[in-house]
Amino acid sequence: MTAPQASDTAKTAARAHPKAGAPRLVPAVARATLLVDALAAAGRPLALADLARDLDLPKSSVHGLLGTLVALGLARRDGDGLFALGARPLQWADAFASQSGLLRAFERRAGEFAALRAETVMLAVLDGAEVAYLACRQGSRALAVNFRVGGRFPAAVTSSGKAMLASLPDARIRELLRDAGFARLTRHSVTSIPALLRQVEFVRANGYAIDDEETAQGMQCFGAPVFALGVAQAQAAVAVSVIKAGLTPRRRGEIVRDIVGLAASISTQLGGERS
């Protein structure tokens, strides 16, 4: 199983149209961003007609935007006339990594905690009602889910998402999930706001979140929020994913201790602390 992408371009489009009081967007830039998002999410080359239909934009507009994106290296056109993501975003990814104190702190600290060294550890940020993975240190154990940089999951079913949601007011959580709805990835996935808020209360009381087979059968994840200086909302979260079978209470306690410790260490480096 691979991490779900933002393949629902209607949802992507909704994020590009701000609500009242939000900054006014330049339409051409917003549409170009939607196109890049759609190409990144597709996993395969797409026809112009498919992009225009999925984004609900005129073919003439999409044609002009794609021509500009191809000329700038943000998209490419193959011999069959299909469009895919270009190579230029790789330059931006490298620049972001080198300029991000958050990523540098994660890369520096993730290997310092003994209980996490064999496990897959992720760094995620909250994007609406989804989590987006900024970094992933793959462990030595095979997992049912391929977590990768750029991958996305519904925040409500992930430990990193719950950890960050817990730093928001309940009213904001209700708003996010009312707009996005719940994605049931397994039979264990949370599917209601009251159930999610009970999990959020656990995070607030204990400092970490649990995904107990909500993302994938047989897998447990533990996440903790990362805070920055002067900001009450969690700026990110770190999470560790483990195979549930054979996870002893002692091992579970060690993993929880160290994922909370990793989050605290990164927060300290960013000048923040858990509120």
Side-chain angles (χ1 to χ4, degrees):
M1 175 180 176
T2 57
Q5 300 296 296
S7 55
D8 187 340
T9 50
K11 290 182 180 179
T12 305
R15 288 202 299 268
H17 297 289
K19 297 180 180 180
R24 185 176 180 83
L25 303 183
V26 177
V29 176
R31 287 194 292 269
T33 301
L34 291 179
L35 272 174
V36 173
D37 282 346
L39 293 172
R44 60 181 176 81
L46 295 173
L48 184 153
D50 294 331
L51 288 163
R53 182 193 65 241
D54 292 344
L55 296 174
D56 194 24
L57 293 173
K59 285 186 181 180
S60 58
S61 297
V62 174
H63 181 269
L65 288 168
L66 284 171
T68 301
L69 293 175
V70 169
L72 295 175
L74 294 169
R76 56 186 173 84
R77 186 175 185 179
D78 65 19
D80 296 323
L82 302 179
F83 295 90
L85 192 67
R88 190 166 185 177
L90 290 172
Q91 301 174 12
W92 295 349
D94 287 342
F96 176 76
S98 67
Q99 295 173 24
S100 171
L102 175 61
L103 276 175
R104 290 197 301 271
F106 174 78
E107 291 167 356
R108 184 177 299 117
R109 304 297 186 191
E112 295 180 353
F113 294 83
L116 306 180
R117 286 176 186 155
E119 312 297 349
T120 297
V121 183
M122 293 82 66
L123 173 70
V125 293
L126 192 64
D127 182 12
E130 295 180 317
V131 295
Y133 294 107
L134 297 185
C136 180
R137 199 210 62 199
Q138 297 289 349
S140 58
R141 310 178 200 274
L143 287 177
V145 173
N146 175 27
F147 293 101
R148 63 181 182 81
V149 174
R152 305 176 77 91
F153 270 101
V157 300
T158 64
S159 62
S160 56
K162 298 177 205 293
M164 290 182 282
L165 288 173
S167 70
L168 302 177
D170 286 358
R172 179 57 178 153
I173 297 172
R174 292 178 187 276
E175 180 184 18
L176 286 172
L177 272 299
R178 184 176 61 247
D179 293 343
F182 287 87
R184 188 164 193 174
L185 302 186
T186 77
R187 62 187 179 89
H188 302 286
S189 298
V190 65
T191 57
S192 72
I193 288 177
L196 175 61
L197 291 178
R198 286 194 293 271
Q199 295 185 352
V200 163
E201 282 304 315
F202 174 89
V203 180
R204 292 168 179 162
N206 295 277
Y208 69 95
I210 304 171
D211 157 13
D212 189 1
E213 298 189 86
E214 292 186 64
T215 300
Q217 293 286 144
M219 192 175 73
Q220 272 192 339
C221 302
F222 305 94
V226 172
F227 294 89
L229 179 64
V231 183
Q233 179 179 337
Q235 298 299 286
V238 288
V240 56
S241 296
V242 298
I243 300 301
K244 186 175 179 179
L247 185 62
T248 65
R250 178 178 177 180
R251 176 63 178 158
R252 183 184 187 278
E254 292 171 345
I255 288 172
V256 168
R257 176 200 66 206
D258 279 7
I259 199 67
V260 171
L262 173 58
S265 179
I266 295 172
S267 297
T268 297
Q269 189 161 334
L270 298 178
E273 60 182 21
R274 179 173 172 81
S275 58

